Amino acid sequence: MKKNHNNTDLHMHSTASDGGYRPEVLLQKCKEVGLEYIALTDHDTTSGVKEAIETGRKLGITVIPGIEFSTKYNGKSVHILGYGLDYNNEELCEMLKGQQEMRRKRLDVILVKLKDVGLDVTAEDVLEFVDGGSIGRPHVAKALIKRGYVNDVAEAFEKYLAEGRPCYVPKEKEMAPEEALNWIKRMNGVSIIAHPVYYDLDDWIETLVVDYGLDGVEVYHRDHTTEDRKHYEQLVQQIEEKHNISLLKTGGSDFHHEDYGRVPEPLGITRLDNYFAEQLVTKIHKKSR
């Protein structure tokens, strides 16, 4: 019988940001569905990476340390994935601590806006769902569900928390994509633009590659259709041929929990050939030399 090598997922979240499971529990779930390579890419924090790596060693899963930086470009939210970076670096940790503080201030403003529309939610209600990491709008959504104001996270965003809705609050200072790329480079990491179908910025991706050292594109995200995947495969190939360079293609489930996403799915549905993880690990080792 031919062995299945499609056991890689390079994009997932834990309770260190807005995921539903602690890193240890998340890794146990990864083991149950047969994943062999995973990357923990929490939003603006690496606080769950150590626990994930230690659990992965016990379970026989290779954990690639990662992060998903939240940035803004021309008014659009753009996420940049960083892999293999020095997550214990003091300078990086200090910067990320500042990001957490801004998220806490943002929460206070969101709570005021919720009160203005008649929804009584306290900081304690929200922090109940935060496991010492990044505070995000999904945590607010969970508090709204517990209070009985909405039925699920999707409804919370649609009515109150999404951009353009009455309780949306932008971050105090949005990091530019170039700044995130610079941090990843300084930490000897590998940079990938996440789920590019969200942005419609194909020409700009080439600029990030040529001018700022972007290492690749998340081609195989779970929200990418077959046509989207073919499109980004071709885009990567065009950039490579035009500039005589080699780029990485990555992908993953962007798993937070079973009810998350445009089309919710359980862990283990979106998965890649192990080749993609091995290519990423090889690139990380080259950067760290």
Side-chain angles (χ1 to χ4, degrees):
M1 183 180 294
K2 186 177 180 181
K3 184 179 179 181
N4 176 25
H5 293 288
N6 295 317
N7 297 321
T8 287
D9 188 336
L10 298 174
H11 190 162
M12 58 180 63
H13 300 270
S14 74
T15 52
S17 61
D18 56 353
Y21 301 98
R22 285 186 56 85
E24 179 181 6
V25 177
L26 178 62
L27 265 292
Q28 291 169 350
K29 294 177 73 67
C30 290
K31 182 67 174 181
E32 290 169 5
V33 298
L35 290 172
E36 297 174 349
Y37 292 89
I38 72 103
L40 186 64
T41 53
D42 278 309
H43 296 285
D44 301 317
T45 183
T46 58
S47 64
V49 167
K50 182 180 179 182
E51 181 179 321
I53 290 175
E54 291 175 350
T55 305
R57 285 176 182 151
K58 297 174 184 176
L59 298 176
I61 299 173
T62 298
V63 176
I64 300 169
I67 191 170
E68 186 170 12
F69 283 108
S70 305
T71 76
K72 206 86 166 183
Y73 174 77
N74 283 355
K76 286 190 175 184
S77 293
V78 175
H79 290 183
I80 304 291
L81 293 161
Y83 295 101
L85 67 173
D86 180 6
Y87 59 91
N88 287 319
N89 179 275
E90 290 185 10
E91 189 179 4
L92 175 67
C93 292
E94 190 65 25
M95 183 275 289
L96 293 176
K97 181 181 177 182
Q99 294 289 315
Q100 308 316 316
E101 291 172 354
M102 283 193 289
R103 284 176 175 267
R104 182 63 178 82
K105 292 177 182 178
R106 181 194 191 197
L107 171 62
D108 291 338
V109 181
I110 291 174
L111 294 176
V112 171
K113 286 181 172 285
L114 287 170
K115 190 171 183 179
D116 288 343
V117 296
L119 305 182
D120 184 19
V121 179
T122 67
E124 288 70 26
D125 292 330
V126 177
L127 294 175
E128 175 184 340
F129 299 99
V130 180
D131 190 20
S134 295
I135 302 171
R137 286 175 292 165
H139 298 122
V140 181
K142 290 177 182 178
L144 288 170
I145 294 168
K146 185 172 182 180
R147 283 280 188 167
Y149 292 126
V150 296
N151 294 314
D152 52 39
V153 172
E155 183 182 355
F157 272 76
E158 175 61 29
K159 286 186 174 180
Y160 305 111
L161 302 174
E163 194 163 353
R165 299 305 179 186
C167 303
Y168 173 76
V169 178
K171 294 187 182 71
E172 180 182 324
K173 179 182 179 297
E174 300 281 6
M175 180 183 288
E178 297 85 352
E179 187 178 354
L181 291 171
N182 184 52
W183 273 106
I184 295 168
K185 184 177 181 180
R186 288 170 60 194
M187 298 299 110
N188 298 317
V190 173
S191 56
I192 304 289
I193 187 165
H195 35 62
V197 75
Y198 291 179
Y199 317 132
D200 190 25
L201 293 168
D202 287 1
D203 292 340
W204 177 68
I205 292 175
E206 182 177 355
T207 299
L208 288 183
V209 170
V210 176
D211 293 347
Y212 299 100
L214 179 72
D215 293 304
V217 177
E218 187 178 48
V219 173
Y220 308 108
H221 186 270
R222 69 103 169 265
D223 285 343
H224 286 192
T225 64
T226 300
E227 291 74 21
D228 293 331
R229 294 179 179 195
K230 289 180 180 177
H231 170 76
Y232 288 108
E233 285 174 340
Q234 292 171 356
L235 177 64
V236 168
Q237 183 177 355
Q238 289 168 3
I239 297 173
E240 288 179 325
E241 292 176 350
K242 182 177 178 181
H243 299 282
N244 192 28
I245 57 176
S246 179
L247 296 175
L248 290 173
K249 297 188 290 287
T250 69
S253 65
D254 203 351
F255 182 78
H256 290 64
H257 50 79
E258 288 78 3
D259 298 325
Y260 175 85
R262 296 175 179 179
V263 180
E265 68 175 41
L267 184 65
I269 300 300
T270 298
R271 55 208 297 159
L272 305 181
D273 191 287
N274 290 354
Y275 164 83
F276 293 96
E278 291 161 0
Q279 287 289 99
L280 177 57
V281 170
T282 297
K283 184 75 170 181
I284 290 169
H285 287 163
K286 287 181 179 178
K287 291 256 187 176
S288 63
R289 290 175 184 170

